[in-house]
Structure formats: structure tokens, C-alpha cells
Amino acid sequence: MVQLKFKPNEYINLRMLLRTIGWLLMVLTGFMAFPLVTAVIYGDSEIKPILISMAITLGCGMGLMSLRPKSKDMGKREAIMLTSLTWVILSLFGMLPFLLCGTHKSVTDAFFETMSGFTTTGASVLDSLQYVPHSLLLWRCLLQWIGGLGIILFTLAIVPMLNNKGGMLMFNEEVTGITHDKLRPRVSNTAKSLWSIYISLTIACILLLWISQMNLFEAICHGLSTMSTGGFSTSDMSVRDWNSPYIIIILTVFMFIGGVNFNLIFASVYGDWKRLIRNDAFKWFCFTILLGYVVFTVSIIGKHHVHSWQEATIIPLFQSVSILSSTGLVVPHFSHWGAVPYVVMLIFMAVGGCAGSTSGGAKIDRFIIFFKFLKNEMYRTMYPSSVRTVTVNGKGTSYVIVMKVLAFLALYFLVIFVGGFLLTVLGVDFSDSFYYALSCISNAGMGTEVQGGGTCFALIPDAAKWILSFIMLTGRLELYTILLLFTPAFWKK
């Protein structure tokens, strides 16, 4: 068996790791059938490039699956390596349709677009979607939908052989959040439950959009990108192209659901509404959205930008939910709303939705723990002998978790600082550099056109695109899974 040795009796089960990646490539090949069918239906000329992409992915997947490891055991190290490698390798294969169809002229652009899709960031290097074929428009949105819950989680649901300790470790590395609770005794059943809810909500969103001005194709694409809180669209004007209050309301509802912990949604589906209502993160998620709504409404009224009832009611709410859930859809003339809404937007991008959701950001759960910890420390400054515990959902939070949250937030903003610095060195405007770093690590994907200027993603240097791709991946897998690979501690016992 092929093994990487670190110390006596300490190995990485490389064959099992590669065999699992083979399974994932097979799953990706299956998903490529959807744009293929779309190309046939619409008579696109991209049938042959998509078939070639499928053949390459299928061949490599079957080759890796032919490996026969002596042991199926995978530990923490394998789980971290597998999760990190999977997202990179699947992005390399997922970019093939873009590259072979010619919509993206370079490997850099194709990889950036694919990584942006898988991580549900929604940043694009395409200047216009007008001449992009239907098959690739669907592929962009499908990538986001796959990445919303994660392709590893999907594979855990359909491949029984991964229902072991290694599967649970992979589950923990891909699913966002501070702690990871299983809904079912077996990890595969947990994955199936989460995906069942995800698919059902996506279908509901698609059907509700279809009965509006959207045709079926447009409804499918927007349903996929909305439920995953990704933000890709089929139009350069995004949802503004339809100018429909009904569509805005539907998207707002499902972006909101996408920002909620799926464990809570699961509990609600089975009648346990109290668990949802009593959850601190959910309550603060709702309160933060309401706060953003009030700020945005007051700002547009103060700037005299109200020309219809929608602009004073559903538009500010839509914008608040879109930013906090990291979907990244922006209404026209947002830059005219003033400086305060722009600052709120930056804060919302950093905070993000609830842990265990499809949204990005540092997650509102961590900020709850952070601010409660600060409150306790300030109290202890006055009363040093007092003993206070950070309580969440009525339960005490261990000191280990509190320290982990503090370390995460410190590392989160450190990545933004380092990323912004590197982009500045590469020639990107100073303010744009740090904005891009924040936008990508939070998986919001909003470009600097939101602030009324700046350089779009298509015009930044190739080296900057690779850095931002890395930052997107780091944000989606919540820092540690990626950054641990660059520490000496990972490579020794």
C-alpha cells in the first residue's frame, strides 16, 4: 500500500484518500450531465466540450477508484488533507467546461470562476453573461448549489463505505460551525437528512419563482444560487432584470432560510419549533437583519431615493438579508445610499449567517460568544474574584470553545490583512485590496462596483486571482482545515 511515513508506525493512508477522491470525481461527473442535457435542449454548440470534460473527469475518477487500500481507516490528518484536496481537485476538473467551451480564456479565470462557484462566493470574471450558453449558466449555478452543503457531504450520503470514523471526521471538516451535532446515529443518515431538506427547499424555491415572470430555466438557476446563498444569475442585471416585488420577496425568504442553521431547520420540520425560537444565534440573526433594514430604510429616505413603495419596504429588507447571508445580490444605486449603509455592509459581510448554514462570514454564533466573553471580562475587571461563564442557549460554554472562537476571529481578520497586503503589492488599489479580501473570505463575492467605482474582478492581475481563490477556499472551509496544512504541527505527531 502506498503510504506517507512521518514517524515510526505513523502513516497517511494515501490509497484510501485517493480512492475517496475518485468517488467524488464520479459524483462530479454525474452533475456534469445536467449542463449536457441543457446544451442538447437549447441546441448549444458546447455539447462536445462538455462530453470531453465528463470523459476526463470520469476516467480519472475510475482510475483512482481502482486503487485497493489494505485499510479503510482514515484519521484526523487524512480527513483534513482530503477535505482540502477535494475542493482544489474538484475545482480543477469543474473548470473544464468553462475552459473547453471558451467562455474563460485562461486557466486562471476558469479556476477562479469555479472556485467562486464551489465556495458560494459568487465573484465572477465574466464581463457579460449575454453570450454565455445556457449550459454554462446552469453549470455556474449548479456549482454553487453543490458547494452550499458541500460535495463531500453529498458523497457521504450516497456512499455507505464512508460511514465510519473517517466519514465523521470529513463531515466535521466540511460542515461550518463551532461544534457539529449529528442528526442521526450514522453520519450517512445525517448527510441524507441535511441533503433531503436542502433539495426540498430548493425545489420549493424553483417552483415559486417559476410561477412569476421567470421561465423554468431562469427559475432553476436562481433557485440553485439562492438556496446556496451564492448569488450567480443568468442576467447581467441579476434579479433587477425582472423588476418584480414578488420575485424579490421569494428570494428574500429563501436567502433568509439559507442563512439559518440546517440543524434547526431539521428540528422545525419535525415539529420542534421551540429549539429554533430559543436559539440565540437565530434570534440575533433576525435582530441583525432588522437592524440593517432600519438603517437602510432611514438612509434611502434621508437621501430621497424613494420612488416607489418597494424602495421603502421590501428593497431594504432584501438588501439586509442578501448581505448578511453572504448571497451578495445588490440593488441598483446602493452606492448612493450613503456611507453608513456601506459600513453596515462591511460589518454584515464579516459577520455572516448562522453556523451550520450555507452562508459565509465568520458566523454570528462566534460573535455572540466573543461579545459575551468581553462582557464577562469587563465585569471581572471590577470584581476580580467573580466567576462568570459564557452562556449560549442557556448552557455554559467551555473555556476551550471560547478560546477557539477568539483564535478563529483573530485568524480571520489576519487573513484579511495579509490578503489585502499581498493584493496591494500586486498593484491592486489599496482600499480595493482589503475589500476584495473581506468579500472573498466571507464568501459574499461583491465587487467594488458596490461602492460606485473600483476595479472589477476581471481586471485584477492573475496572481491576485489565485490569492483570492485561496482566500475563498479558506473562508468556505473556515480557516483551520486549509491553514493547518502549512503548520509544522500538522506534519508531526
Side-chain angles (χ1 to χ4, degrees):
M1 180 175 65
V2 179
Q3 295 173 316
L4 296 181
K5 187 174 180 180
F6 296 91
K7 283 187 176 184
N9 303 319
E10 188 178 350
Y11 300 92
I12 280 185
N13 192 345
L14 186 59
R15 281 202 176 190
M16 185 59 193
L17 191 151
L18 293 176
R19 180 174 167 79
T20 306
I21 291 177
W23 273 107
L24 294 165
L25 289 177
M26 296 290 286
V27 172
L28 185 65
T29 304
F31 278 112
M32 285 184 180
F34 291 100
L36 176 64
V37 172
T38 304
V40 173
I41 292 174
Y42 285 92
D44 293 340
S45 59
E46 283 68 30
I47 297 177
K48 184 177 179 180
I50 295 175
L51 281 172
I52 294 173
S53 302
M54 292 179 68
I56 294 173
T57 308
L58 179 64
C60 293
M62 293 180 65
L64 293 175
M65 283 180 60
S66 66
L67 297 173
R68 292 292 183 266
K70 292 181 179 179
S71 171
K72 295 181 180 180
D73 292 336
M74 288 195 295
K76 184 73 171 179
R77 184 178 282 112
E78 283 95 343
I80 293 174
M81 286 188 67
L82 177 62
T83 305
S84 304
L85 287 174
T86 293
W87 286 75
V88 175
I89 291 173
L90 264 61
S91 293
L92 290 171
F93 283 91
M95 75 177 182
L96 291 177
F98 296 131
L99 204 57
L100 297 179
C101 292
T103 55
H104 296 73
K105 303 303 181 183
S106 67
V107 172
T108 298
D109 285 351
F111 183 84
F112 180 91
E113 192 87 14
T114 308
M115 182 61 76
S116 175
F118 269 131
T119 58
T120 71
T121 303
S124 179
V125 294
L126 294 173
D127 294 325
S128 174
L129 301 176
Q130 185 176 358
Y131 300 105
V132 178
H134 290 81
S135 54
L136 295 189
L137 289 175
L138 177 66
W139 185 233
R140 293 168 79 240
C141 296
L142 191 58
L143 288 174
Q144 291 194 326
W145 188 75
I146 296 169
L149 281 186
I151 195 167
I152 290 179
L153 192 62
F154 183 83
T155 307
L156 289 172
I158 64 174
V159 182
M161 63 172 285
L162 297 177
N163 191 51
N164 51 31
K165 178 184 176 183
M168 187 61 202
L169 290 171
M170 291 158 57
F171 173 86
N172 290 338
E173 294 305 322
E174 185 174 62
V175 176
T176 62
I178 304 170
T179 59
H180 306 96
D181 300 323
K182 290 199 299 181
L183 305 177
R184 305 290 192 187
R186 296 168 66 87
V187 66
S188 61
N189 291 337
T190 296
K192 288 177 183 177
S193 298
L194 291 174
W195 269 96
S196 296
I197 294 171
Y198 189 53
I199 292 172
S200 299
L201 289 170
T202 304
I203 292 174
C205 183
I206 291 171
L207 293 176
L208 289 171
L209 290 174
W210 189 20
I211 62 177
S212 67
Q213 296 97 316
M214 288 186 178
N215 59 40
L216 180 58
F217 175 79
E218 294 165 342
I220 290 173
C221 289
H222 286 88
L224 295 173
S225 63
T226 300
M227 200 60 241
S228 63
T229 62
F232 276 154
S233 179
T234 58
S235 169
D236 291 332
M237 296 292 291
S238 189
V239 295
R240 294 168 280 175
D241 201 23
W242 288 270
N243 192 28
S244 167
Y246 171 80
I247 290 177
I248 294 295
I249 292 172
I250 295 300
L251 294 180
T252 302
V253 169
F254 282 92
M255 286 189 298
F256 174 84
I257 295 173
V260 177
N261 189 325
F262 269 72
N263 286 348
L264 299 177
I265 297 175
F266 177 87
S268 301
V269 169
Y270 285 89
D272 189 4
W273 286 93
K274 292 182 180 179
R275 184 178 172 189
L276 174 69
I277 297 172
R278 293 174 180 174
N279 183 267
D280 288 346
F282 177 74
K283 288 188 287 188
W284 278 99
F285 182 62
C286 295
F287 173 77
T288 307
I289 288 173
L290 180 61
L291 180 63
Y293 169 71
V294 171
V295 171
F296 293 158
T297 302
V298 171
S299 297
I300 61 177
I301 292 176
K303 294 288 183 179
H304 304 290
H305 284 295
V306 179
H307 305 292
S308 64
W309 67 270
Q310 300 100 303
E311 293 181 355
T313 53
I314 61 174
I315 294 298
L317 181 62
F318 167 84
Q319 195 61 84
S320 182
V321 174
S322 174
I323 298 174
L324 191 61
S325 67
S326 78
T327 308
L329 298 174
V330 182
V331 297
H333 312 302
F334 179 80
S335 60
H336 299 163
W337 288 9
V340 174
Y342 181 70
V343 172
V344 170
M345 181 193 73
L346 295 178
I347 295 172
F348 277 20
M349 285 167 60
V351 173
C354 301
S357 68
T358 62
S359 63
K363 303 296 184 297
I364 202 165
D365 308 59
R366 291 190 174 94
F367 282 96
I368 291 173
I369 292 176
F370 173 68
F371 285 116
K372 287 190 174 184
F373 171 78
L374 286 183
K375 178 183 175 182
N376 287 351
E377 290 303 303
M378 293 178 69
Y379 185 87
R380 270 194 286 265
T381 300
M382 293 297 299
Y383 306 99
S385 60
S386 64
V387 178
R388 297 176 66 88
T389 304
V390 173
T391 57
V392 179
N393 301 324
K395 299 179 181 179
T397 304
S398 70
Y399 180 79
V400 173
I401 292 180
V402 173
M403 290 299 102
K404 187 176 179 180
V405 167
L406 297 179
F408 180 94
L409 293 176
L411 193 57
Y412 186 83
F413 289 104
L414 180 62
V415 171
I416 295 173
F417 174 80
V418 174
F421 172 77
L422 292 176
L423 293 183
T424 303
V425 171
L426 292 171
V428 181
D429 181 77
F430 179 79
S431 61
D432 291 351
S433 296
F434 291 92
Y435 175 86
Y436 280 138
L438 172 60
S439 182
C440 287
I441 197 172
S442 65
N443 300 136
M446 291 181 289
T448 50
E449 64 273 9
V450 174
Q451 53 183 310
T455 304
C456 65
F457 286 105
L459 299 179
I460 63 176
D462 284 355
K465 292 174 186 174
W466 286 103
I467 291 173
L468 290 177
S469 297
F470 177 80
I471 293 176
M472 288 182 219
L473 180 60
T474 303
R476 172 58 181 83
L477 297 181
E478 299 211 316
L479 308 184
Y480 292 115
T481 303
I482 296 296
L483 299 182
L484 274 174
L485 297 176
F486 300 93
T487 63
F490 179 82
W491 301 103
K492 64 182 180 181
K493 189 171 182 179

